[in-house]
PDB file of all heavy atoms in Angstrom:
ATOM      1  N   ARG A   8      95.943 104.178  92.191  1.00  0.00           N
ATOM      2  CA  ARG A   8      95.728 104.154  90.751  1.00  0.00           C
ATOM      3  C   ARG A   8      96.073 102.780  90.200  1.00  0.00           C
ATOM      4  O   ARG A   8      96.882 102.049  90.765  1.00  0.00           O
ATOM      5  CB  ARG A   8      96.546 105.234  90.045  1.00  0.00           C
ATOM      6  CG  ARG A   8      98.052 105.061  90.121  1.00  0.00           C
ATOM      7  CD  ARG A   8      98.749 106.281  89.527  1.00  0.00           C
ATOM      8  NE  ARG A   8     100.193 106.137  89.508  1.00  0.00           N
ATOM      9  CZ  ARG A   8     101.041 107.100  89.144  1.00  0.00           C
ATOM     10  NH1 ARG A   8     100.572 108.291  88.766  1.00  0.00           N
ATOM     11  NH2 ARG A   8     102.350 106.876  89.155  1.00  0.00           N
ATOM     12  N   GLN A   9      95.455 102.452  89.069  1.00  0.00           N
ATOM     13  CA  GLN A   9      95.657 101.142  88.480  1.00  0.00           C
ATOM     14  C   GLN A   9      95.583 101.216  86.962  1.00  0.00           C
ATOM     15  O   GLN A   9      94.692 101.851  86.405  1.00  0.00           O
ATOM     16  CB  GLN A   9      94.620 100.148  88.999  1.00  0.00           C
ATOM     17  CG  GLN A   9      94.863  98.714  88.560  1.00  0.00           C
ATOM     18  CD  GLN A   9      93.957  97.739  89.273  1.00  0.00           C
ATOM     19  OE1 GLN A   9      92.840  98.085  89.670  1.00  0.00           O
ATOM     20  NE2 GLN A   9      94.423  96.512  89.444  1.00  0.00           N
ATOM     21  N   VAL A  10      96.521 100.544  86.328  1.00  0.00           N
ATOM     22  CA  VAL A  10      96.546 100.373  84.879  1.00  0.00           C
ATOM     23  C   VAL A  10      96.135  98.939  84.586  1.00  0.00           C
ATOM     24  O   VAL A  10      96.554  98.016  85.299  1.00  0.00           O
ATOM     25  CB  VAL A  10      97.947 100.654  84.311  1.00  0.00           C
ATOM     26  CG1 VAL A  10      97.988 100.396  82.811  1.00  0.00           C
ATOM     27  CG2 VAL A  10      98.372 102.073  84.625  1.00  0.00           C
ATOM     28  N   PRO A  11      95.321  98.704  83.548  1.00  0.00           N
ATOM     29  CA  PRO A  11      94.930  97.328  83.225  1.00  0.00           C
ATOM     30  C   PRO A  11      96.139  96.420  83.081  1.00  0.00           C
ATOM     31  O   PRO A  11      97.115  96.762  82.406  1.00  0.00           O
ATOM     32  CB  PRO A  11      94.182  97.483  81.900  1.00  0.00           C
ATOM     33  CG  PRO A  11      93.608  98.859  81.965  1.00  0.00           C
ATOM     34  CD  PRO A  11      94.658  99.676  82.668  1.00  0.00           C
ATOM     35  N   GLY A  12      96.073  95.262  83.722  1.00  0.00           N
ATOM     36  CA  GLY A  12      97.155  94.312  83.669  1.00  0.00           C
ATOM     37  C   GLY A  12      98.236  94.527  84.700  1.00  0.00           C
ATOM     38  O   GLY A  12      99.178  93.724  84.771  1.00  0.00           O
ATOM     39  N   LYS A  13      98.138  95.602  85.483  1.00  0.00           N
ATOM     40  CA  LYS A  13      99.121  95.883  86.507  1.00  0.00           C
ATOM     41  C   LYS A  13      98.440  95.988  87.869  1.00  0.00           C
ATOM     42  O   LYS A  13      97.229  96.181  87.964  1.00  0.00           O
ATOM     43  CB  LYS A  13      99.876  97.178  86.201  1.00  0.00           C
ATOM     44  CG  LYS A  13     100.697  97.130  84.927  1.00  0.00           C
ATOM     45  CD  LYS A  13     101.509  98.398  84.754  1.00  0.00           C
ATOM     46  CE  LYS A  13     102.341  98.345  83.483  1.00  0.00           C
ATOM     47  NZ  LYS A  13     103.375  97.287  83.563  1.00  0.00           N
ATOM     48  N   GLU A  14      99.241  95.863  88.906  1.00  0.00           N
ATOM     49  CA  GLU A  14      98.713  95.961  90.255  1.00  0.00           C
ATOM     50  C   GLU A  14      98.357  97.399  90.597  1.00  0.00           C
ATOM     51  O   GLU A  14      98.984  98.343  90.129  1.00  0.00           O
ATOM     52  CB  GLU A  14      99.727  95.424  91.264  1.00  0.00           C
ATOM     53  CG  GLU A  14     100.013  93.944  91.138  1.00  0.00           C
ATOM     54  CD  GLU A  14     100.951  93.440  92.214  1.00  0.00           C
ATOM     55  OE1 GLU A  14     101.387  94.255  93.055  1.00  0.00           O
ATOM     56  OE2 GLU A  14     101.239  92.240  92.227  1.00  0.00           O
ATOM     57  N   ARG A  15      97.346  97.539  91.427  1.00  0.00           N
ATOM     58  CA  ARG A  15      96.986  98.851  91.927  1.00  0.00           C
ATOM     59  C   ARG A  15      98.110  99.364  92.829  1.00  0.00           C
ATOM     60  O   ARG A  15      98.693  98.607  93.613  1.00  0.00           O
ATOM     61  CB  ARG A  15      95.685  98.772  92.708  1.00  0.00           C
ATOM     62  CG  ARG A  15      95.171 100.092  93.228  1.00  0.00           C
ATOM     63  CD  ARG A  15      93.881  99.871  94.000  1.00  0.00           C
ATOM     64  NE  ARG A  15      92.793  99.468  93.115  1.00  0.00           N
ATOM     65  CZ  ARG A  15      91.662  98.925  93.546  1.00  0.00           C
ATOM     66  NH1 ARG A  15      91.461  98.704  94.832  1.00  0.00           N
ATOM     67  NH2 ARG A  15      90.730  98.602  92.669  1.00  0.00           N
ATOM     68  N   GLU A  16      98.416 100.655  92.726  1.00  0.00           N
ATOM     69  CA  GLU A  16      99.504 101.214  93.505  1.00  0.00           C
ATOM     70  C   GLU A  16      99.040 102.442  94.283  1.00  0.00           C
ATOM     71  O   GLU A  16      98.190 103.205  93.817  1.00  0.00           O
ATOM     72  CB  GLU A  16     100.688 101.586  92.609  1.00  0.00           C
ATOM     73  CG  GLU A  16     100.388 102.670  91.594  1.00  0.00           C
ATOM     74  CD  GLU A  16     101.602 103.040  90.766  1.00  0.00           C
ATOM     75  OE1 GLU A  16     102.675 102.440  90.958  1.00  0.00           O
ATOM     76  OE2 GLU A  16     101.479 103.949  89.914  1.00  0.00           O
ATOM     77  N   PRO A  17      99.591 102.630  95.469  1.00  0.00           N
ATOM     78  CA  PRO A  17      99.230 103.811  96.260  1.00  0.00           C
ATOM     79  C   PRO A  17      99.856 105.070  95.668  1.00  0.00           C
ATOM     80  O   PRO A  17     100.968 105.042  95.145  1.00  0.00           O
ATOM     81  CB  PRO A  17      99.815 103.498  97.638  1.00  0.00           C
ATOM     82  CG  PRO A  17     100.961 102.578  97.352  1.00  0.00           C
ATOM     83  CD  PRO A  17     100.531 101.742  96.168  1.00  0.00           C
ATOM     84  N   VAL A  18      99.135 106.171  95.779  1.00  0.00           N
ATOM     85  CA  VAL A  18      99.585 107.454  95.254  1.00  0.00           C
ATOM     86  C   VAL A  18      99.835 108.453  96.370  1.00  0.00           C
ATOM     87  O   VAL A  18     100.902 109.063  96.451  1.00  0.00           O
ATOM     88  CB  VAL A  18      98.571 108.026  94.251  1.00  0.00           C
ATOM     89  CG1 VAL A  18      99.015 109.405  93.764  1.00  0.00           C
ATOM     90  CG2 VAL A  18      98.391 107.072  93.075  1.00  0.00           C
ATOM     91  N   ALA A  19      98.838 108.651  97.239  1.00  0.00           N
ATOM     92  CA  ALA A  19      98.938 109.633  98.304  1.00  0.00           C
ATOM     93  C   ALA A  19      97.874 109.358  99.345  1.00  0.00           C
ATOM     94  O   ALA A  19      96.881 108.677  99.068  1.00  0.00           O
ATOM     95  CB  ALA A  19      98.788 111.063  97.759  1.00  0.00           C
ATOM     96  N   ALA A  20      98.062 109.901 100.532  1.00  0.00           N
ATOM     97  CA  ALA A  20      97.086 109.765 101.594  1.00  0.00           C
ATOM     98  C   ALA A  20      97.162 110.971 102.511  1.00  0.00           C
ATOM     99  O   ALA A  20      98.194 111.652 102.583  1.00  0.00           O
ATOM    100  CB  ALA A  20      97.310 108.477 102.393  1.00  0.00           C
ATOM    101  N   ILE A  21      96.070 111.222 103.211  1.00  0.00           N
ATOM    102  CA  ILE A  21      96.016 112.345 104.133  1.00  0.00           C
ATOM    103  C   ILE A  21      95.208 111.962 105.366  1.00  0.00           C
ATOM    104  O   ILE A  21      94.154 111.328 105.254  1.00  0.00           O
ATOM    105  CB  ILE A  21      95.432 113.601 103.448  1.00  0.00           C
ATOM    106  CG1 ILE A  21      95.513 114.813 104.368  1.00  0.00           C
ATOM    107  CG2 ILE A  21      93.995 113.361 102.983  1.00  0.00           C
ATOM    108  CD1 ILE A  21      95.255 116.133 103.654  1.00  0.00           C
ATOM    109  N   THR A  22      95.713 112.331 106.523  1.00  0.00           N
ATOM    110  CA  THR A  22      94.983 112.154 107.773  1.00  0.00           C
ATOM    111  C   THR A  22      94.058 113.347 107.949  1.00  0.00           C
ATOM    112  O   THR A  22      94.511 114.494 107.951  1.00  0.00           O
ATOM    113  CB  THR A  22      95.945 112.047 108.957  1.00  0.00           C
ATOM    114  OG1 THR A  22      96.835 110.945 108.754  1.00  0.00           O
ATOM    115  CG2 THR A  22      95.187 111.842 110.259  1.00  0.00           C
ATOM    116  N   LEU A  23      92.775 113.086 108.087  1.00  0.00           N
ATOM    117  CA  LEU A  23      91.792 114.155 108.021  1.00  0.00           C
ATOM    118  C   LEU A  23      91.873 115.115 109.198  1.00  0.00           C
ATOM    119  O   LEU A  23      91.628 116.312 109.036  1.00  0.00           O
ATOM    120  CB  LEU A  23      90.381 113.574 107.919  1.00  0.00           C
ATOM    121  CG  LEU A  23      90.115 112.726 106.674  1.00  0.00           C
ATOM    122  CD1 LEU A  23      88.657 112.279 106.646  1.00  0.00           C
ATOM    123  CD2 LEU A  23      90.458 113.495 105.412  1.00  0.00           C
ATOM    124  N   SER A  24      92.207 114.624 110.374  1.00  0.00           N
ATOM    125  CA  SER A  24      92.225 115.485 111.543  1.00  0.00           C
ATOM    126  C   SER A  24      93.425 116.420 111.586  1.00  0.00           C
ATOM    127  O   SER A  24      93.309 117.556 112.059  1.00  0.00           O
ATOM    128  CB  SER A  24      92.186 114.640 112.818  1.00  0.00           C
ATOM    129  OG  SER A  24      93.324 113.803 112.899  1.00  0.00           O
ATOM    130  N   THR A  25      94.565 115.963 111.100  1.00  0.00           N
ATOM    131  CA  THR A  25      95.800 116.732 111.204  1.00  0.00           C
ATOM    132  C   THR A  25      96.295 117.297 109.880  1.00  0.00           C
ATOM    133  O   THR A  25      97.095 118.234 109.880  1.00  0.00           O
ATOM    134  CB  THR A  25      96.918 115.879 111.795  1.00  0.00           C
ATOM    135  OG1 THR A  25      97.242 114.824 110.889  1.00  0.00           O
ATOM    136  CG2 THR A  25      96.492 115.288 113.137  1.00  0.00           C
ATOM    137  N   GLY A  26      95.863 116.728 108.771  1.00  0.00           N
ATOM    138  CA  GLY A  26      96.362 117.134 107.476  1.00  0.00           C
ATOM    139  C   GLY A  26      97.697 116.519 107.103  1.00  0.00           C
ATOM    140  O   GLY A  26      98.293 116.906 106.088  1.00  0.00           O
ATOM    141  N   ARG A  27      98.178 115.577 107.884  1.00  0.00           N
ATOM    142  CA  ARG A  27      99.436 114.911 107.555  1.00  0.00           C
ATOM    143  C   ARG A  27      99.293 114.159 106.242  1.00  0.00           C
ATOM    144  O   ARG A  27      98.293 113.494 106.002  1.00  0.00           O
ATOM    145  CB  ARG A  27      99.827 113.949 108.673  1.00  0.00           C
ATOM    146  CG  ARG A  27     101.139 113.223 108.426  1.00  0.00           C
ATOM    147  CD  ARG A  27     101.493 112.333 109.594  1.00  0.00           C
ATOM    148  NE  ARG A  27     102.751 111.633 109.380  1.00  0.00           N
ATOM    149  CZ  ARG A  27     103.314 110.821 110.260  1.00  0.00           C
ATOM    150  NH1 ARG A  27     102.727 110.600 111.436  1.00  0.00           N
ATOM    151  NH2 ARG A  27     104.468 110.228 109.970  1.00  0.00           N
ATOM    152  N   THR A  28     100.314 114.246 105.405  1.00  0.00           N
ATOM    153  CA  THR A  28     100.251 113.660 104.068  1.00  0.00           C
ATOM    154  C   THR A  28     101.385 112.681 103.832  1.00  0.00           C
ATOM    155  O   THR A  28     102.445 112.755 104.467  1.00  0.00           O
ATOM    156  CB  THR A  28     100.305 114.742 102.984  1.00  0.00           C
ATOM    157  OG1 THR A  28     101.509 115.502 103.120  1.00  0.00           O
ATOM    158  CG2 THR A  28      99.110 115.681 103.101  1.00  0.00           C
ATOM    159  N   ASN A  29     101.158 111.774 102.910  1.00  0.00           N
ATOM    160  CA  ASN A  29     102.156 110.829 102.438  1.00  0.00           C
ATOM    161  C   ASN A  29     102.022 110.711 100.932  1.00  0.00           C
ATOM    162  O   ASN A  29     100.920 110.801 100.383  1.00  0.00           O
ATOM    163  CB  ASN A  29     101.977 109.455 103.085  1.00  0.00           C
ATOM    164  CG  ASN A  29     102.214 109.462 104.578  1.00  0.00           C
ATOM    165  OD1 ASN A  29     101.270 109.546 105.366  1.00  0.00           O
ATOM    166  ND2 ASN A  29     103.477 109.390 104.971  1.00  0.00           N
ATOM    167  N   TYR A  30     103.162 110.485 100.265  1.00  0.00           N
ATOM    168  CA  TYR A  30     103.171 110.396  98.814  1.00  0.00           C
ATOM    169  C   TYR A  30     104.069 109.266  98.349  1.00  0.00           C
ATOM    170  O   TYR A  30     105.101 108.973  98.964  1.00  0.00           O
ATOM    171  CB  TYR A  30     103.691 111.690  98.187  1.00  0.00           C
ATOM    172  CG  TYR A  30     102.834 112.899  98.454  1.00  0.00           C
ATOM    173  CD1 TYR A  30     103.106 113.742  99.521  1.00  0.00           C
ATOM    174  CD2 TYR A  30     101.757 113.204  97.625  1.00  0.00           C
ATOM    175  CE1 TYR A  30     102.323 114.853  99.770  1.00  0.00           C
ATOM    176  CE2 TYR A  30     100.974 114.316  97.866  1.00  0.00           C
ATOM    177  CZ  TYR A  30     101.265 115.135  98.942  1.00  0.00           C
ATOM    178  OH  TYR A  30     100.479 116.242  99.181  1.00  0.00           O
ATOM    179  N   ALA A  31     103.675 108.661  97.239  1.00  0.00           N
ATOM    180  CA  ALA A  31     104.564 107.737  96.564  1.00  0.00           C
ATOM    181  C   ALA A  31     105.724 108.511  95.955  1.00  0.00           C
ATOM    182  O   ALA A  31     105.574 109.662  95.536  1.00  0.00           O
ATOM    183  CB  ALA A  31     103.809 106.980  95.475  1.00  0.00           C
ATOM    184  N   ASP A  32     106.888 107.880  95.896  1.00  0.00           N
ATOM    185  CA  ASP A  32     108.058 108.549  95.336  1.00  0.00           C
ATOM    186  C   ASP A  32     107.823 109.013  93.900  1.00  0.00           C
ATOM    187  O   ASP A  32     108.361 110.043  93.479  1.00  0.00           O
ATOM    188  CB  ASP A  32     109.272 107.620  95.389  1.00  0.00           C
ATOM    189  CG  ASP A  32     109.791 107.411  96.800  1.00  0.00           C
ATOM    190  OD1 ASP A  32     109.468 108.218  97.691  1.00  0.00           O
ATOM    191  OD2 ASP A  32     110.533 106.432  97.020  1.00  0.00           O
ATOM    192  N   SER A  33     107.028 108.273  93.157  1.00  0.00           N
ATOM    193  CA  SER A  33     106.810 108.580  91.755  1.00  0.00           C
ATOM    194  C   SER A  33     106.040 109.877  91.528  1.00  0.00           C
ATOM    195  O   SER A  33     106.067 110.415  90.415  1.00  0.00           O
ATOM    196  CB  SER A  33     106.078 107.425  91.069  1.00  0.00           C
ATOM    197  OG  SER A  33     104.818 107.196  91.675  1.00  0.00           O
ATOM    198  N   VAL A  34     105.359 110.389  92.559  1.00  0.00           N
ATOM    199  CA  VAL A  34     104.550 111.593  92.382  1.00  0.00           C
ATOM    200  C   VAL A  34     104.991 112.746  93.268  1.00  0.00           C
ATOM    201  O   VAL A  34     104.441 113.852  93.148  1.00  0.00           O
ATOM    202  CB  VAL A  34     103.055 111.309  92.620  1.00  0.00           C
ATOM    203  CG1 VAL A  34     102.582 110.166  91.740  1.00  0.00           C
ATOM    204  CG2 VAL A  34     102.781 111.001  94.088  1.00  0.00           C
TER     205      VAL A  34
END
């Protein structure tokens, strides 16, 4: 996600084969 004037930041990700997930602390 990105807000104008700020750097884009990672939110979450998922590995498609296993369903393993990762999240930013903020969410």
Side-chain angles (χ1 to χ4, degrees):
R8 65 187 183 186
Q9 187 171 29
V10 177
K13 296 185 180 294
E14 295 184 359
R15 183 181 291 164
E16 63 178 1
V18 177
I21 186 167
T22 301
L23 298 184
S24 62
T25 66
R27 181 178 180 178
T28 58
N29 295 97
Y30 296 94
D32 289 342
S33 60
V34 306

